[in-house]
């Protein structure tokens, strides 16, 4: 994306992204205590499905992440570049074969994590059956979340519901307003406190009632003034704290006391 969108080169490469990702992985591998997982909130790679750079970028993504400490699981969230702005049944199948499920939930300590494919909210026109399946599955997950069996319930998705305010206008980087409010109400009822997103290539965030929507900038290309970096999320018994760090500022010691 750096050479393609920002530098607008004719034959864009991705060596700079490789170097930045290696730097991120090296920092994560050195963290004490070890992170429970490393999650990439979508747009794992830049090349859209069906383009010539797609396969080599997939190969490099896997190659670079193979250096992540095997005790730190890598969790992949599906982004618009991964399955297309208007996904097709074929682009979804290819994604699943390459990176795994496009939506799923998992449990980590006392935390329930729900990972969504936000393209089903953005443009499901060619994959209505898949979108319906996610919708039905999500209802089940939300009733589980509501059961109170978890200390925290967290959602991860690529496109943020909103960037700064729940009533902001629809634009490229957020989701349709009516759907946004309908879904945020459901999340609120299920007791979800925080939703982590990507897509914007800048840090952003805001609240809908008790839910914080957190948008994290990228390891790769920046569209604003943030530096390439990552967010460290500290899950504490009563709260979830999160801070964005430029890659060069990532700490080694992570303080898990409630400061
Ligand atoms: Fe995106």
């Amino acid at each position: 994306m750096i050479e393609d969108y920002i530098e607008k080169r004719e034959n864009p490469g991705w060596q700079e992204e490789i170097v930045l990702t290696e730097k991120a992985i090296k920092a994560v591998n050195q963290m004490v205590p070890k992170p429970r997982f490393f999650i990439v909130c979508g747009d794992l790679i830049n090349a859209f499905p069906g383009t010539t750079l797609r396969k080599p970028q997939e190969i490099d993504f896997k190659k670079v992440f193979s250096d992540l400490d095997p005790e730190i699981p890598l969790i992949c969230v599906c982004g618009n570049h991964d399955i297309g702005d208007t996904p097709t049944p074929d682009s979804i199948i290819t994604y699943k074969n390459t990176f795994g499920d496009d939506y799923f939930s998992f449990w980590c300590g006392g935390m329930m994590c729900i990972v969504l494919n936000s393209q089903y909210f953005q443009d499901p026109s060619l994959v209505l059956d898949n979108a319906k399946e996610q919708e039905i599955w999500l209802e089940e997950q939300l009733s589980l979340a509501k059961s109170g069996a978890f200390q925290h319930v967290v959602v991860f998705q690529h496109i943020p519901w909103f960037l700064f305010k729940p009533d902001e206008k629809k634009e490229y980087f957020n989701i349709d307003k009516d759907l946004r409010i309908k879904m945020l109400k459901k999340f609120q009822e299920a007791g979800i406190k925080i939703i982590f997103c990507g897509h914007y290539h800048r840090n952003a965030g805001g609240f809908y009632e008790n839910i914080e929507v957190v948008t994290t900038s990228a390891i790769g290309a920046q569209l604003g003034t943030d530096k390439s970096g990552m967010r460290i999320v500290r899950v504490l018994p009563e709260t979830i704290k999160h801070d964005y760090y430029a890659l060069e500022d990532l700490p080694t010691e992570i303080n898990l006391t409630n400061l």
Side-chain angles (χ1 to χ4, degrees), residues 41-43 79-81 85 119 158-159 172-173 198-201:
C41 279
D43 288 352
N80 57 310
H81 283 245
D85 283 320
Q119 288 315 108
H158 182 58
I159 302 181
Y172 176 77
F173 290 105
H199 189 51
Y200 193 42
H201 293 258

Side-chain angles (χ1 to χ4, degrees), residues 6-23:
I6 297 183
E7 296 172 3
K8 302 195 188 310
R9 293 206 207 173
E10 210 164 305
N11 295 304
W14 51 94
Q15 191 52 37
E16 206 172 328
E17 275 93 345
I18 288 178
V19 170
L20 291 165
T21 310
E22 284 172 344
K23 207 170 167 182

Side-chain angles (χ1 to χ4, degrees), residues 58-248:
E58 283 177 7
I59 291 167
D60 278 349
F61 177 90
K62 291 190 180 185
K63 194 172 142 204
V64 171
F65 272 98
S66 68
D67 284 335
L68 182 65
D69 182 331
E71 288 181 20
I72 305 170
L74 173 68
I75 316 280
C76 294
V77 181
C78 181
N80 57 310
H81 283 245
D82 301 315
I83 52 170
D85 283 320
T86 305
T88 64
D90 195 47
S91 74
I92 304 269
I93 290 169
T94 308
Y95 175 86
K96 286 178 164 184
N97 289 338
T98 312
F99 296 110
D101 285 335
D102 59 333
Y103 61 88
F104 52 94
S105 55
F106 64 98
W107 289 263
C108 182
M111 183 168 72
M112 178 189 188
C113 300
I114 301 173
V115 176
L116 297 174
N117 180 347
S118 55
Q119 288 315 108
Y120 295 140
F121 303 117
Q122 192 72 317
D123 185 358
S125 56
L126 299 181
V127 287
L128 292 171
D129 288 349
N130 302 60
K132 190 74 199 165
E133 277 170 31
Q134 177 177 258
E135 191 186 323
I136 294 166
W137 170 87
L138 180 57
E139 289 292 338
E140 291 166 9
Q141 302 305 305
L142 294 181
S143 45
L144 201 58
K146 224 187 279 186
S147 72
F150 309 99
Q151 190 78 11
H152 302 288
V153 184
V154 173
V155 171
F156 297 95
Q157 60 185 70
H158 182 58
I159 302 181
W161 294 103
F162 61 86
L163 295 167
F164 300 102
K165 288 181 177 176
D167 61 349
E168 71 195 19
K169 276 190 194 154
K170 165 72 185 137
E171 54 134 297
Y172 176 77
F173 290 105
N174 64 19
I175 290 172
D176 172 78
K177 211 167 149 183
D178 290 344
L179 180 59
R180 177 196 308 165
I181 299 301
K182 182 182 135 189
M183 294 307 296
L184 287 170
K185 269 187 186 150
K186 285 185 191 221
F187 292 136
Q188 171 80 14
E189 281 165 22
I192 285 159
K193 296 277 165 57
I194 194 156
I195 302 176
F196 290 102
C197 313
H199 189 51
Y200 193 42
H201 293 258
R202 280 155 278 194
N203 288 305
F207 280 84
Y208 168 84
E209 299 193 13
N210 297 327
I211 306 176
E212 185 177 13
V213 175
V214 180
T215 296
T216 298
S217 197
I219 289 174
Q222 300 300 309
L223 296 178
T225 53
D226 296 301
K227 287 181 170 177
S228 286
M230 300 175 69
R231 189 171 298 273
I232 294 181
V233 179
R234 293 178 296 142
V235 180
L236 304 164
E238 301 303 327
T239 56
I240 295 180
K241 301 196 172 213
H242 56 87
D243 301 283
Y244 186 82
Y245 293 91
L247 293 178
E248 55 270 29

